[in-house]
Amino acid sequence: MKRRTKDILLFLLFGLMVGQVYGGEIVGELKQWHTLTLTFEGPTTSEYDTLNPFLSYRLQATFSHGDTKITVPGYFAADGQAAETSARSGNQWHIKFVPNLPGNWEYKVSFRQGKNIAIDDRVDAGQPISFDGDSGSFVVATSDKSGRDFRAKGRLTKGQGHYPVFEGTKEVFVKGGANSPEDLLAYYEFDGTPKKHRYDNHADDYGEGDVTWQKGKGKNLIGSLNYLYSKGINAVYFLTMNVMGDGKNVWPWTEEHERYRFDVSKLAQWELVFSHMDQIGLAQHVITQETENENLLDIGKVGIQRKLYYRELIARFGHHLGLVWNMGEENGITNWSPVGQTEQMREEMINYFRSVEPYGNLLVIHTLPNLKDHERTMTPLLGNRSLDGVSFQIHHPHDAYKVTTEWRQKSADAGQPWVIWIDEIGPAKIGAWSDDRPEQQDTVRKEVIYPNLIGGGAGIEHYFGYKQKHSDLSSEDWKVRDRLWEMTEHAISYFGQLPLQDMQPLELVTNGYCLAKENELYVCYLTDTRDEVVLDLSQAKGKLSVYWFDPITGKSDLKGSVRKVKGGAKVVLGTPPSGYPDQDWLVKIE
């Protein structure tokens, strides 16, 4: 009797040490491509607890469906409602998971405690605690979503060639995005955030029933994203950390100079916004650092700080379907930034991130602007199996076609075809102008948007020059570039309907560029039609039809002076249906 009492007392003492043990609960719709949250009651702790809940605990679960196994990290969620309560403490622990297949799934949970265990990849590191070993199963149905909602398409992943594709539908993703403001998340209604951006001019774009937090916060930011969606834009670029950078107003931690403890409520509010972006079809282009702070974590190396930062980002946001991880803005050493990451640091960073990212989300890196910078940064990465593509910055707009075609070919030759994006258009003080300078926007269209796409690139983003009123840091209103978004939507919609994975850039046409699947389909971008346009159809057979597309209005299948051409020789394409003599045109021959 005395022994049994002693055992009970020891059990109770152990229970007080590790927290109460309960089975996990699954929250969310049990459907393919929908986010499920496994919630557990575990140790009660806080952001500032002596035993750091972000570093001294490791929560993860392995999900199995036949031969498919996905191990996903979890995280400390305070009271489980931190977006609403701003809680810093609690006993809720979450794992977010998105099933990529319908049918029966099983899971098993690992929850362990130990020194720096969060970044320890040894399976048996530390000690099992609380609900470690919890397991279960659930059945997933197919999604009922449609349209631009990413849950209707599946995860955005690297295709076999130079284009991202949605894992479910195999649809090619051609990007047309907003690159500014880069400090989008410096929004005045996020917890623990400097009160900078308000986006007041987008208040009316908020939709009844759209997500908010804490009795209506977030409407302006959600409205601004709704506006981009309404214009057909499909991606947004933003930093998750700019400490010591340009803005100095975005970070995931509890304090600006903290590196080991995370602001749970702020990140929960970010999660609400990212989920809304998935639902309206806006890809999240997540920039994990910038050139000014690429040595902030572990002096640029892969150490405790960097590993923990990546783990928290992946655990909390890696489940999102339209997600592009960018390893750093303007990455690399240059004459004006001699303290950047080295070649070895860059490669180790990329490879480590890929090793812990469970879903196969797109992984890219952003470059410095000059062609020599591209060579210095990207050449050593050719053939790297962890890197899916390049987010290029260019100083001169007219370099877009050269950069796109050159690095498309280099990456293919190295055995790892890259997605080629032009994501920052120079000169840096100008970028893409607002609608009061339509002639400058026309230059962007003629020299960047269409040259990238016709050169086999996968799209662009519009950066706002730092000397502009609505700049890369000060912009509050995306509506001042309404015309630019419309022209961009025309381009990505047109190219998104082409069999891009079967096409390649070829030098076949005068006064322009050509993307072709020879003997079947030729799409030519003509910068000027005042002179006779000749297309080499020597490799084609039979008769082909000729259709014109207006990049300014978006009108397609227009008929010019020549309706039919015959393969086997060089042919004259004639004149477009209307427009100014020096206007650019697309012409499709099929």
Side-chain angles (χ1 to χ4, degrees):
M1 183 70 179
K2 288 182 179 179
R3 183 173 181 177
R4 184 178 178 188
T5 302
K6 182 179 179 181
D7 290 343
I8 293 172
L9 289 173
L10 286 173
F11 175 80
L12 291 173
L13 178 60
F14 182 75
L16 290 172
M17 290 170 60
V18 302
Q20 292 180 317
V21 182
Y22 294 92
E25 177 186 1
I26 299 176
V27 177
E29 294 183 281
L30 292 170
K31 295 178 181 177
Q32 185 183 16
W33 308 122
H34 291 231
T35 298
L36 305 177
T37 305
L38 269 66
T39 67
F40 301 92
E41 290 186 11
T44 297
T45 183
S46 75
E47 293 171 354
Y48 295 107
D49 197 278
T50 303
L51 194 63
N52 186 333
F54 310 101
L55 190 57
S56 299
Y57 298 89
R58 187 185 66 195
L59 170 61
Q60 60 190 38
T62 298
F63 296 85
S64 304
H65 183 294
D67 294 333
T68 298
K69 293 185 184 297
I70 305 173
T71 299
V72 180
Y75 58 93
F76 171 59
D79 67 351
Q81 302 293 326
E84 295 294 331
T85 64
S86 297
R88 293 181 177 274
S89 63
N91 68 347
Q92 297 296 297
W93 299 77
H94 289 176
I95 300 173
K96 290 193 177 294
F97 173 65
V98 173
N100 62 340
L101 295 167
N104 186 69
W105 284 86
E106 297 179 349
Y107 67 88
K108 186 171 183 178
V109 177
S110 171
F111 190 37
R112 303 177 75 88
Q113 179 184 315
K115 183 179 179 180
N116 298 340
I117 193 172
I119 58 170
D120 194 327
D121 58 5
R122 294 175 300 165
V123 174
D124 60 349
Q127 299 296 322
I129 61 168
S130 195
F131 50 83
D132 178 79
D134 189 89
S135 62
S137 64
F138 51 90
V139 178
V140 171
T142 56
S143 177
D144 58 350
K145 302 304 177 184
S146 60
R148 283 183 54 177
D149 191 323
F150 289 149
R151 293 172 296 179
K153 302 180 180 187
R155 184 171 302 280
L156 189 60
T157 60
K158 176 69 163 59
Q160 295 300 311
H162 297 277
Y163 297 95
V165 297
F166 290 102
E167 189 177 344
T169 61
K170 307 305 179 185
E171 173 188 339
V172 169
F173 176 77
V174 181
K175 184 173 70 172
N179 189 269
S180 301
E182 65 178 33
D183 60 347
L184 174 78
L185 298 180
Y187 179 60
Y188 81 111
E189 291 182 316
F190 283 138
D191 286 352
T193 301
K195 311 303 180 185
K196 181 182 179 182
H197 290 305
R198 297 183 59 91
Y199 310 117
D200 287 332
N201 288 343
H202 288 288
D204 291 342
D205 296 309
Y206 174 81
E208 188 65 32
D210 286 344
V211 67
T212 61
W213 59 91
Q214 297 183 0
K215 299 181 179 180
K217 288 183 179 181
K219 287 185 176 181
N220 293 358
L221 176 55
I222 295 299
S224 72
L225 298 171
N226 288 347
Y227 165 76
L228 289 179
Y229 158 76
S230 74
K231 304 309 294 186
I233 295 304
N234 61 16
V236 180
Y237 173 111
F238 54 85
L239 287 154
T240 50
M241 187 270 285
N242 64 8
V243 175
M244 294 178 61
D246 288 335
K248 302 177 179 63
N249 50 21
V250 178
W251 54 83
W253 302 290
T254 52
E255 306 288 344
E256 181 178 0
H257 301 295
E258 173 61 60
R259 301 291 174 264
Y260 302 96
R261 297 173 183 273
F262 294 81
D263 190 325
V264 174
S265 64
K266 179 198 294 188
L267 299 184
Q269 291 158 4
W270 287 7
E271 167 64 18
L272 295 176
V273 175
F274 300 164
S275 293
H276 182 74
M277 293 174 72
D278 270 351
Q279 292 170 24
I280 62 175
L282 283 178
Q284 302 110 51
H285 189 177
V286 179
I287 317 303
T288 58
Q289 62 182 14
E290 55 183 324
T291 189
E292 293 84 358
N293 63 23
E294 60 190 66
N295 283 350
L296 177 66
L297 303 178
D298 305 309
I299 322 175
K301 298 179 181 180
V302 178
I304 294 176
Q305 294 177 347
R306 187 174 295 275
K307 288 180 177 181
L308 185 60
Y309 173 57
Y310 291 161
R311 187 188 193 282
E312 286 293 321
L313 289 181
I314 291 168
R316 295 173 188 275
F317 310 125
H319 62 283
H320 286 289
L321 299 171
L323 183 62
V324 180
W325 294 113
N326 193 314
M327 300 310 297
E329 177 206 50
E330 298 180 332
N331 193 268
I333 298 173
T334 184
N335 293 333
W336 54 268
S337 180
V339 293
Q341 288 175 299
T342 65
E343 176 184 324
Q344 181 179 352
M345 290 176 181
R346 186 178 306 114
E347 188 154 14
E348 288 178 355
M349 168 181 69
I350 291 169
N351 291 341
Y352 177 77
F353 196 100
R354 176 59 77 197
S355 72
V356 297
E357 194 281 312
Y359 286 112
N361 289 313
L362 286 165
L363 185 63
V364 303
I365 194 165
H366 187 261
T367 70
L368 289 156
N370 297 314
L371 301 185
K372 289 184 178 179
D373 296 325
H374 299 169
E375 288 285 347
R376 180 164 40 196
T377 303
M378 300 313 302
T379 298
L381 292 171
L382 287 168
N384 186 304
R385 296 294 176 182
S386 298
L387 192 65
D388 296 319
V390 193
S391 173
F392 275 112
Q393 177 183 183
I394 57 174
H395 181 69
H396 300 291
H398 58 71
D399 285 334
Y401 183 79
K402 171 182 171 59
V403 168
T404 300
T405 53
E406 179 178 324
W407 287 96
R408 174 185 162 108
Q409 189 60 53
K410 284 183 176 181
S411 65
D413 291 344
Q416 175 74 350
W418 282 342
V419 173
I420 308 296
W421 284 325
I422 304 292
D423 285 337
E424 188 167 334
I425 304 161
K429 65 181 180 181
I430 298 174
W433 210 274
S434 51
D435 287 352
D436 57 357
R437 288 283 296 276
E439 69 282 359
Q440 195 272 345
Q441 292 182 349
D442 290 342
T443 298
V444 171
R445 183 188 73 245
K446 293 178 180 180
E447 295 190 358
V448 182
I449 300 176
Y450 283 90
N452 170 263
L453 296 175
I454 207 73
I460 55 89
E461 288 175 349
H462 294 296
Y463 156 83
F464 311 156
Y466 67 82
K467 285 289 188 182
Q468 294 200 44
K469 177 181 178 181
H470 302 277
S471 74
D472 63 325
L473 291 174
S474 66
S475 181
E476 294 283 317
D477 186 0
W478 275 318
K479 294 179 183 178
V480 300
R481 290 177 173 82
D482 192 84
R483 177 178 182 267
L484 184 66
W485 307 130
E486 289 182 355
M487 291 193 300
T488 301
E489 191 277 333
H490 297 334
I492 62 176
S493 292
Y494 186 88
F495 277 83
Q497 298 173 20
L498 300 175
L500 292 174
Q501 292 174 303
D502 298 323
M503 303 177 76
Q504 58 182 321
L506 298 171
E507 295 183 4
L508 298 175
V509 68
T510 59
N511 304 333
Y513 314 101
C514 187
L515 188 67
K517 181 181 181 182
E518 285 208 275
N519 198 34
E520 289 188 30
L521 175 65
Y522 302 80
V523 177
C524 303
Y525 180 61
L526 309 178
T527 55
D528 191 343
T529 57
R530 286 175 292 186
D531 296 328
E532 185 177 77
V533 179
V534 178
L535 175 65
D536 186 349
L537 290 179
S538 300
Q539 301 302 312
K541 298 178 181 179
K543 292 183 178 180
L544 298 93
S545 299
V546 180
Y547 301 99
W548 294 76
F549 174 83
D550 186 339
I552 299 176
T553 66
K555 294 181 179 179
S556 61
D557 292 335
L558 303 174
K559 295 178 180 179
S561 62
V562 174
R563 308 287 181 86
K564 299 280 186 180
V565 292
K566 189 174 182 180
K570 293 182 178 180
V571 300
V572 175
L573 297 180
T575 57
S578 62
Y580 298 104
D582 60 348
Q583 181 185 320
D584 52 322
W585 288 89
L586 274 180
V587 57
K588 179 172 67 175
I589 302 93
E590 65 179 350

